[in-house]
């Protein structure tokens, strides 16, 4: 089935450690996105990529990094510089054009101990 | 990015009652999308509105886009427990950035 796969679903890390969240899509979508969601709040854009080997900062990019070496993959690294990393992270993709719907993965819940 | 205000933040209704959530922008929007996120789940696309004054229906859900394209609403008639979740509006920023900015969401609780 076509879709977006995020892993791991749950992740625990100690302060000071970097962690990488995986996002893979087989929808042949050009654009991919990472959002962060805190309890009871909306989604905030971290990074997005409209094409392979190119990505742009969103509203809250500090403390995060991404890469887009393949069309199917858009991993997110939460670095130790991110002051409050505990959150629910959602990856999404969209076909070409700026009016298409977003397809979301099931999310990764990161807890920093 | 484009800013949208969404109200109310929370809404509790008795099963069978109606529900409405609103999104408002200070600037004219090119279009607006609506998503639903079930508890513990991920957002799922419901609909996109593009035209001024547009009204679309999906069974018990009615979506409206204001005449000035600065506001939108989602109305659910006769809520059911399956309607529980958080409803988000989302707008696409102008220009080439193509960022989708989400409202803060309205969390709907339906009491049986």
């Amino acid at each position: 089935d076509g879709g977006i796969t995020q892993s791991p679903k749950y992740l625990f890390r100690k302060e000071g450690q970097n962690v990488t969240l995986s996002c893979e899509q087989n929808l042949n979508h050009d654009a991919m996105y990472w959002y962060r969601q805190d309890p009871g709040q909306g989604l905030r854009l971290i990074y997005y990529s409209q094409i392979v080997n190119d990505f742009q900062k969103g509203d809250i990019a500090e403390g995060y990094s991404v890469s887009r070496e393949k069309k199917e993959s858009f991993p997110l690294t939460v670095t130790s510089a991110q002051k409050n990393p505990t959150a629910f992270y959602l990856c999404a993709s969209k076909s070409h054009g700026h009016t298409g719907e977003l397809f979301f993965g099931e999310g990764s819940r990161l807890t920093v101990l | 990015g484009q800013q949208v205000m969404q109200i109310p933040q929370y809404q509790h209704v008795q099963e069978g009652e109606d529900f409405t959530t609103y999104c408002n922008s200070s600037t004219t929007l090119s279009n607006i999308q609506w998503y639903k996120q079930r508890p513990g789940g991920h957002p799922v696309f419901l609909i996109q509105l593009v035209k001024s004054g547009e009204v679309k229906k999906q069974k018990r859900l009615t979506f409206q886009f204001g005449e000035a394209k600065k506001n939108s609403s989602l109305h659910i008639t006769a809520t059911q427990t399956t309607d529980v979740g958080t409803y988000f509006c989302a707008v696409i920023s102008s220009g080439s950035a193509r960022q989708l900015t989400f409202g803060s969401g309205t969390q709907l609780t339906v009491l049986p």
Side-chain angles (χ1 to χ4, degrees):
Chain A
D1 289 348
I4 300 178
T5 302
Q6 287 187 241
S7 63
K9 192 168 184 178
Y10 299 95
L11 185 61
F12 298 86
R13 85 152 207 221
K14 295 181 180 179
E15 282 189 12
Q17 292 180 336
N18 292 356
V19 61
T20 297
L21 307 180
S22 169
C23 179
E24 303 280 332
Q25 56 102 355
N26 60 5
L27 299 168
N28 198 33
H29 286 171
D30 292 312
M32 296 187 74
Y33 303 79
W34 275 105
Y35 286 89
R36 169 182 171 139
Q37 187 175 32
D38 294 286
Q41 298 189 26
L43 285 69
R44 293 184 289 168
L45 183 63
I46 305 172
Y47 268 98
Y48 64 103
S49 167
Q50 297 180 33
I51 196 170
V52 175
N53 292 323
D54 184 60
F55 48 84
Q56 306 294 330
K57 292 182 179 180
D59 299 320
I60 56 167
E62 185 176 352
Y64 300 97
S65 66
V66 293
S67 63
R68 187 86 187 277
E69 297 177 1
K70 299 186 301 181
K71 187 175 184 178
E72 302 79 18
S73 179
F74 191 40
L76 173 74
T77 297
V78 185
T79 75
S80 56
Q82 169 52 233
K83 295 180 181 179
N84 187 19
T86 295
F88 188 48
Y89 291 90
L90 287 157
C91 179
S93 71
K94 180 159 67 71
S95 61
H96 67 279
H98 62 278
T99 58
E101 66 180 272
L102 281 182
F103 291 83
F104 283 88
E106 294 190 350
S108 294
R109 192 169 298 279
L110 172 64
T111 303
V112 175
L113 305 173
Chain B
Q2 194 93 50
Q3 296 292 325
V4 281
M5 297 296 295
Q6 189 171 357
I7 56 170
Q9 188 174 2
Y10 302 98
Q11 185 77 61
H12 292 72
V13 299
Q14 205 71 37
E15 189 173 15
E17 293 182 338
D18 293 356
F19 159 77
T20 306
T21 174
Y22 303 88
C23 274
N24 299 294
S25 171
S26 58
T27 59
T28 303
L29 303 169
S30 57
N31 53 43
I32 191 163
Q33 297 179 357
W34 286 92
Y35 291 79
K36 175 183 179 180
Q37 183 177 24
R38 293 181 184 275
H42 58 278
V44 174
F45 175 82
L46 294 176
I47 208 162
Q48 176 170 273
L49 305 173
V50 179
K51 299 177 182 178
S52 169
E54 188 171 14
V55 178
K56 288 188 176 180
K57 293 189 176 183
Q58 291 179 351
K59 298 183 179 179
R60 294 179 293 103
L61 278 62
T62 302
F63 303 85
Q64 292 190 344
F65 203 7
E67 292 289 341
K69 299 181 72 172
K70 290 185 176 181
N71 56 72
S72 180
S73 65
L74 158 59
H75 180 82
I76 302 178
T77 303
T79 55
Q80 299 175 359
T81 54
T82 54
D83 296 324
V84 165
T86 302
Y87 294 83
F88 294 98
C89 62
V91 299
I92 298 173
S93 61
S94 57
S96 61
R98 302 179 183 181
Q99 299 183 51
L100 199 64
T101 300
F102 283 77
S104 54
T106 296
Q107 187 174 320
L108 173 64
T109 300
V110 179
L111 305 171

